[in-house]
Amino acid sequence: MRDINVSIGVDKRLWRQDIAGSRAHAAMLAAAGILSEGDAAEIRRGLDAIEAEYAAGGLVEDAALEDIHMHVEARLKEIIGEPAGRLHTARSRNDQVATDFRLWVRGAVDAIDAGLAAFQSALLTRAEQHAGDVMPGFTHLQTAQPVTLGHHLMAYFEMTRRDRGRFADARTRLNESPLGAAALAGTSFPIDRRASATALGFDRPMANSLDAVSDRDFALEFLSAAAMAGLHLSRLAEEIIIWASQPYGFVKLPDAFSTGSSIMPQKRNPDAAELVRAKAGLFLGAYQRLAIIMKGLPLAYSKDMQDDKAPVFEAFDTLALCLAAMTGMVETISFDTARMRAAAGTGFSTATDLADWLVREGGVPFREAHHITGRCVAAAEAAGCDLSALPLETLRGIDARIDDRVFGVLTVEASVASRTSFGGTSPANVRAAVAAARGAGQ
Ligand code: ARG
């Protein structure tokens, strides 16, 4: 029983929040006249001492004391004696743990937001540097149209902006205080839930005591936002892995973010990116793990809910690490822009520009222009050259409406420069997007 019941090994991470919650509760009890000023002062003194002990390395753990809440209270009793027993008036471990966990997740959201912001500023820096550098844009991982590297990086900036929005939304909903819900029904003591909520930085007390002790959707929202952010990181990680592969050769990772092989001396493996790619599974797993614990649980508290913390702690630690690793990689990766540009010109990537030119300059309907361009591509393929290297006579042989102005749109630079529609890949757009992001404080 002791071994299955104990949770101190995991929930000791809540020590700061547990002490903060007890301070707020004791102050509220004293202000409401439920606790004497003398007892409240003793409790404060004891909690200060425990805080110092934890900061200096922790408390002696005893499995029989189950969890962080019992450890803090037992230690308080050792330090201040009888008044320690009065702290738990009008409180239960059920509202206590819900309060501690909400406080912890709130801090985690703030830390992740800072990590996401740092990642964004790395993306902005690199996007600005490479606003005008051309790379192949892919669909189906087949060369599609030239894009700018800056635009590609800014796509991740946008994903990250939404990730931050998801965490911010979760934070708004979670910032209500369960404290004072007691075991499940509230209490007969004249407590002031608004006061303890305010003292802990919550916007208001939760409106329903049953909901307050049995809800864990705040933790699930955190995990869901983490899963989405992790999924986005895994896509960039995958692209870095592909780009670093020798047949691509688009990027080189610095030694600090790659590893060698024990047998192949030339190797430089993108291990950090591969691990970020792998961790996407951990976040999704953490979400499922908690969702399955909560599914079908009757109100109010059940001990199943003690298992809510491990997946959240693990997801937080891992996401913080992944963000640090990806930020470091984005900051230090070197892009082989010459090779990217050369690759951008292969695969007839400006075929769409030729078709668009026929529509614009020749008044040709797009469907027909698409067909004509297909014949030009076939001719280039047969001649073993790029579209821009086909002789004008060959092009005119396919369609007489083509003239030499067409060569102005067949280079990759002309192609990206022309994509000025809102949200398009042109260097000017990238610079404007970076400036707008900076102006908005990211
Ligand atoms: N360690 C418990 C948890 O994390 C604290 C709440 C215990 N409440 C109870 N009624 N046994 O969920």
Side-chain angles (χ1 to χ4, degrees):
M1 177 57 194
R2 190 197 56 212
D3 289 351
I4 195 169
N5 207 33
V6 67
S7 63
I8 184 67
V10 173
D11 61 29
K12 64 179 154 200
R13 272 186 90 160
L14 299 175
W15 68 267
R16 278 181 203 284
Q17 291 73 23
D18 198 68
I19 291 170
S22 288
R23 274 201 189 108
H25 185 64
M28 182 278 292
L29 289 178
I34 302 166
L35 192 67
S36 74
E37 280 303 336
D39 285 346
E42 274 302 277
I43 288 170
R44 256 196 319 273
R45 180 178 72 81
L47 291 172
D48 288 351
I50 296 170
E51 187 172 54
E53 287 177 8
Y54 258 110
L59 300 186
V60 179
E61 286 170 18
D62 174 1
L65 287 173
E66 285 186 38
D67 56 23
I68 182 65
H69 325 293
M70 307 279 272
H71 275 76
V72 171
E73 195 177 326
R75 184 71 187 122
L76 188 64
K77 182 117 198 278
E78 285 171 6
I79 299 172
I80 67 168
E82 192 253 12
R86 301 186 187 277
L87 172 60
H88 214 52
T89 312
R91 185 177 79 171
S92 151
R93 269 192 296 158
N94 295 348
D95 60 335
Q96 190 178 356
V97 71
T99 302
D100 293 3
F101 198 23
R102 273 180 189 257
L103 288 172
W104 194 92
V105 173
R106 189 176 74 189
V109 166
D110 293 344
I112 293 297
D113 187 65
L116 288 165
F119 177 56
Q120 282 186 317
S121 81
L123 288 168
L124 283 180
T125 302
R126 302 312 302 270
E128 189 172 41
Q129 276 168 5
H130 297 288
D133 288 325
V134 185
M135 65 177 283
F138 299 96
T139 60
H140 313 265
L141 201 55
Q142 306 284 311
T143 300
Q145 294 175 355
V147 294
T148 51
L149 174 54
H151 195 56
H152 196 108
L153 294 171
M154 285 303 283
Y156 285 99
F157 178 90
E158 288 297 314
M159 292 174 233
T160 306
R161 200 171 51 72
R162 292 191 296 276
D163 290 333
R164 292 182 70 186
R166 271 179 281 274
F167 280 109
D169 287 349
R171 193 191 197 285
T172 305
R173 272 185 294 278
L174 80 71
N175 202 32
E176 294 187 345
S177 174
L179 196 57
L184 75 166
T187 174
S188 57
F189 290 98
I191 59 171
D192 181 354
R193 289 190 59 205
R194 228 163 261 289
S196 56
T198 304
L200 293 168
F202 287 118
D203 296 328
R204 63 192 74 83
M206 290 181 76
N208 182 296
S209 61
L210 287 165
D211 178 47
V213 294
S214 53
D215 160 64
R216 292 296 181 269
D217 62 14
F218 67 92
L220 282 165
E221 283 198 61
F222 175 81
L223 291 175
S224 149
M228 191 75 84
L231 184 153
H232 287 151
L233 292 179
S234 81
R235 296 185 72 176
L236 181 55
E238 167 75 347
E239 295 201 307
I240 289 173
I241 293 160
I242 292 173
W243 293 346
S245 165
Q246 283 68 21
Y248 274 81
F250 287 1
V251 299
K252 217 177 205 168
L253 280 167
D255 288 339
F257 284 99
S258 39
T259 58
S261 152
S262 51
I263 179 168
M264 296 166 283
Q266 86 285 11
K267 280 288 223 169
R268 213 177 227 273
N269 295 325
D271 292 34
E274 292 171 278
L275 287 163
V276 169
R277 183 174 61 179
K279 302 299 186 201
L282 184 147
F283 306 123
L284 291 162
Y287 178 87
Q288 289 215 2
R289 185 169 155 196
L290 182 53
I292 293 167
I293 288 171
M294 297 310 295
K295 181 203 167 291
L297 268 193
L299 303 187
Y301 179 85
S302 295
K303 197 65 177 252
D304 310 48
M305 289 158 71
Q306 176 165 285
D307 276 358
D308 58 0
K309 290 163 214 78
V312 174
F313 291 164
E314 198 184 2
F316 168 77
D317 291 341
T318 308
L319 184 55
L321 190 55
C322 287
L323 281 168
M326 288 303 286
T327 302
M329 277 187 273
V330 169
E331 279 168 350
T332 58
I333 200 166
S334 66
F335 295 101
D336 189 334
T337 51
R339 207 170 150 108
M340 285 179 145
R341 194 222 163 272
T346 64
F348 313 108
S349 64
T350 54
T352 314
D353 297 274
L354 172 54
D356 287 349
W357 185 88
L358 280 162
V359 171
R360 209 169 42 243
E361 306 296 332
V364 182
F366 183 77
R367 290 293 176 206
E368 191 190 341
H370 184 280
H371 176 75
I372 296 165
T373 304
R375 293 182 55 202
C376 297
V377 167
E381 220 162 6
C385 70
D386 279 347
L387 276 176
S388 59
L390 277 179
L392 183 60
E393 311 84 77
T394 309
L395 292 169
R396 290 180 66 88
I398 294 167
D399 195 288
R401 286 169 288 191
I402 300 176
D403 61 49
D404 63 357
R405 290 172 304 154
V406 78
F407 294 110
V409 302
L410 293 183
T411 66
V412 293
E413 283 77 15
S415 174
V416 296
S418 74
R419 298 294 195 274
T420 52
S421 58
F422 183 78
T425 192
S426 73
N429 277 5
V430 175
R431 290 190 185 99
V434 170
R438 292 230 169 94
Q442 293 179 20

